[in-house]
């Protein structure tokens, strides 16, 4: 008798991702899909895609999806959740999307305590448009628009989104995780599951920030990109729970 130990989650459509080799968007998609399967919410989940490399996540998840204008996913998710309170609404957003163009939407959805789940993929760069500086680009990090490294005298300092949102009363969960090894991938999945469960239990705004790689625009191989994430991103963006309502 054979036993299936590894399979494609039902919540993921059987197509090939367009992501670059070594990009961790693919791992994060899988974790979100596994969580939807385990909670049995695929049939009532509505994703809101951001503009960025993950814009085509609507082609990958088998639940309903809406495409929001750049940065506006939390506002679109607010409307969806308020008009369809029994649905399970999540946004899937990059750092340029969530922390630059959509800063206001993010902060105000959080402070209103909108009962939505936000999956925030922080790769410290604008991936889709060719690697410009993002609000989360590290001091000294070389990008297309900071060829000598991010100069904090000119461009200021990176935004630590979870720490900032943790100060807001409307936030039920603000947690930072990553997916650079098996242990961290397991922790990331638990955090994503908690963020979905919080919504089902009407606890309010939950955000999971996932430190992610962009080997293409970082100019690194997939393996070196994971090393760069460990050596540079994790020290600046410590992993952990920044806020969790009982
Ligand atoms: C209002 C608006 N401004 C700018 C753009 C161009 N644009 C498309 S994707 C993108 C960057 C996305 O970066 P990020 O959100 O970090 O996601 P990633 O591609 O890195 O996953 C930008 C600036 C746009 N589509 N709309
Ligand atoms: S450009 Fe970067 S974020 Fe976009 S798919 Fe490629 S590796 Fe991933």
């Amino acid at each position: 008798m054979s036993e299936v130990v590894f399979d494609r989650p039902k919540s993921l459509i059987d197509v090939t991702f367009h992501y670059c080799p070594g990009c961790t968007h693919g791992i994060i998609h899988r974790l979100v899909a596994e969580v939807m399967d385990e909670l049995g919410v695929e049939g009532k989940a509505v994703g809101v895609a951001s503009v960025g490399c993950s814009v085509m996540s609507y082609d990958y998840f088998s639940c309903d999806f809406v495409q929001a204008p750049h940065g506006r996913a939390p506002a679109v998710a607010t409307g969806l959740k308020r008009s369809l309170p029994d649905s399970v609404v999540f946004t899937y957003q990059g750092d340029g999307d969530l922390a630059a163009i959509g800063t206001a939407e993010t902060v105000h959805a959080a402070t209103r305590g909108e009962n939505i789940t936000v999956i925030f993929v922080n790769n410290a760069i604008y991936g889709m448009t060719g690697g410009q500086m993002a609000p989360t680009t590290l001091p000294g990090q070389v990008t297309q628009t900071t060829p000598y490294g991010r100069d904090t005298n000119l461009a200021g300092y990176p935004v630590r989104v979870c720490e900032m949102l943790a100060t807001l009363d409307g936030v039920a969960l603000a947690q930072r995780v990553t997916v650079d090894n098996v242990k961290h991938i397991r922790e990331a999945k638990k955090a994503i599951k908690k963020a979905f469960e919080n919504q089902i239990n009407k606890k309010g705004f939950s955000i999971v920030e996932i430190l992610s790689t962009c080997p293409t625009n970082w100019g690194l191989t997939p393996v070196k990109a994971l090393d760069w994430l460990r050596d540079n991103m994790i020290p600046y963006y410590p992993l952990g729970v920044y806020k969790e309502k009982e």
Side-chain angles (χ1 to χ4, degrees):
M1 213 175 78
S2 62
E3 190 190 346
V4 176
V5 290
F6 190 80
D7 207 358
R8 177 178 283 273
K10 262 198 326 121
S11 300
L12 270 189
I13 294 167
D14 192 2
V15 291
T16 306
F17 291 146
H18 74 283
Y19 298 117
C20 308
C23 175
T24 43
H25 265 304
I27 298 176
I28 300 164
H29 276 25
R30 184 177 170 103
L31 297 182
V32 172
E34 285 182 0
V35 164
M36 282 201 274
D37 278 13
E38 286 172 20
L39 295 175
V41 295
E42 176 210 342
K44 55 180 180 175
V46 189
V48 186
S50 72
V51 176
C53 282
S54 57
V55 66
M56 282 185 282
S57 39
Y58 49 66
D59 280 341
Y60 303 142
F61 290 101
S62 52
C63 60
D64 283 341
F65 245 86
V66 175
Q67 163 66 63
H70 210 359
R72 312 299 177 239
V76 171
T78 297
L80 285 166
K81 184 68 188 180
R82 287 186 180 205
S83 53
L84 301 167
D86 293 333
S87 60
V88 174
V89 179
F90 69 98
T91 72
Y92 188 105
Q93 303 177 257
D95 46 316
D97 182 271
L98 180 142
I101 297 143
T103 317
E105 283 75 9
T106 304
V107 170
H108 289 291
T111 198
R112 291 193 306 269
E114 295 296 341
N115 191 26
I116 58 173
T117 302
V118 173
I119 307 297
F120 168 38
V121 181
N122 177 2
N123 59 14
I125 208 159
Y126 279 43
M128 186 193 225
T129 41
Q132 297 83 2
M133 187 189 82
T136 46
T137 294
L138 297 178
Q141 185 181 337
V142 172
T143 70
Q144 287 287 336
T145 46
T146 55
Y148 304 110
R150 180 177 183 159
D151 176 354
T152 51
N153 289 320
L154 284 175
Y157 294 88
V159 186
R160 290 190 179 94
V161 170
C162 278
E163 288 86 331
M164 180 176 76
L165 294 185
T167 65
L168 303 176
D169 290 344
V171 173
L173 175 73
Q175 182 168 353
R176 184 179 296 120
V177 295
T178 190
V179 288
D180 66 316
N181 61 35
V182 174
K183 174 175 173 278
H184 284 156
I185 291 172
R186 284 176 192 270
E187 285 167 4
K189 181 172 169 185
K190 275 192 195 148
I192 292 169
K193 193 163 185 180
K194 210 165 30 172
F196 275 84
E197 283 169 343
N198 278 355
Q199 186 180 156
I200 293 163
N201 297 326
K202 301 186 171 46
K203 285 200 174 166
F205 186 94
S206 295
I207 180 167
V208 180
E209 173 177 346
I210 301 131
L211 302 183
S212 190
T213 59
C214 180
T216 300
N217 288 302
W218 293 356
L220 297 172
T221 63
V223 171
K224 288 246 158 40
L226 289 171
D227 289 339
W228 191 87
L229 181 151
R230 277 179 213 118
D231 296 343
N232 298 280
M233 285 188 81
I234 297 179
Y236 204 92
Y237 297 114
L239 307 180
V241 177
Y242 288 88
K243 169 114 188 247
E244 187 166 9
K245 271 189 194 165
E246 282 313 309

